[in-house]
Amino acid sequence: MKILVLAGSPHKKGTSNTLVEEFAKGAKDAGKEVEIIDLAKSNIHPCLGCDHCGMNGDCIQKDDGNEILDKILESDCILFASPVYYYNVSAQLKMMIDRFYAKTGRISAKHLKAGVIMTAWNSDENWTYSAIDKYFDVLFEYMHFVDCGRIYGKSCGTVSMIPKHYYQEAYELGKNI
Ligand SMILES: Cc1cc2nc3c(=O)[nH]c(=O)nc-3n(C[C@H](O)[C@H](O)[C@H](O)COP(=O)(O)O)c2cc1C
């Protein structure tokens, strides 16, 4: 199984990428192939809504976004990884999600497995992830993604703050996804 991680943090050694590393260990221990795309270091521009692609063609942007779309189409599973930025995913990740537009039909036809790993400074159980969770509900429904698990890290403001149980949860998600 090929897993593509869309990693949306600008911190290579930050909290979400720390849990992504655990996820990757679990996945590799279970014999899965993992590729991590560092979206913050990639050259990606926003969807212009120009409809050149007609939702099923080539994007007019000439950047890494097109290669990432090809990699998604060659994968069996996507992991969305991001810090919480103003109670949403980071702009780095959202920009790539918007670029799905050029291949929406082809991506959704694959019924890809999908998971989420996010980290937030906040610890409130009730609302830290309330909007984000709804967002992934509808994104997964629209894109026909098969939900394989979401880790919503709370009290994860810095790497040293990450509660230990999230390491195990991330490893298990990678192993079982
Ligand atoms: C621009 C920005 C916006 C943030 N917004 C939130 C927020 O809305 N809620 C929250 O709990 N933490 C917020 N944080 C804190 C980060 O989510 C938190 O520090 C996270 O661990 C960073 O992840 P990373 O190390 O993977 O980049 C924000 C941080 C930044 C830089």
Side-chain angles (χ1 to χ4, degrees), residues 47-109:
C47 173
L48 296 175
C50 64
D51 247 328
H52 174 83
C53 64
M55 290 186 89
N56 184 25
D58 293 329
C59 179
I60 204 157
Q61 299 280 26
K62 300 295 171 236
D63 61 13
D64 297 339
N66 298 310
E67 193 190 327
I68 296 169
L69 285 172
D70 288 342
K71 284 178 189 282
I72 291 171
L73 289 170
E74 290 160 10
S75 300
D76 306 296
C77 177
I78 307 181
L79 181 81
F80 295 93
S82 175
V84 170
Y85 277 4
Y86 291 91
Y87 300 98
N88 208 320
V89 299
S90 68
Q92 289 87 338
L93 176 57
K94 182 61 167 59
M95 196 145 62
M96 190 59 227
I97 293 173
D98 289 353
R99 294 286 297 276
F100 289 179
Y101 190 78
K103 310 277 177 198
T104 290
R106 289 176 62 193
I107 296 172
S108 56

Side-chain angles (χ1 to χ4, degrees), residues 9 11 14-16 83-87 119-122 156-157:
S9 171
H11 303 124
T15 57
S16 52
V84 170
Y85 277 4
Y86 291 91
Y87 300 98
T119 47
W121 195 293
N122 202 354
C156 292

Side-chain angles (χ1 to χ4, degrees), residues 148-161:
C148 293
R150 306 177 195 179
I151 297 175
Y152 291 141
K154 293 176 279 293
S155 300
C156 292
T158 61
V159 172
S160 61
M161 286 168 68

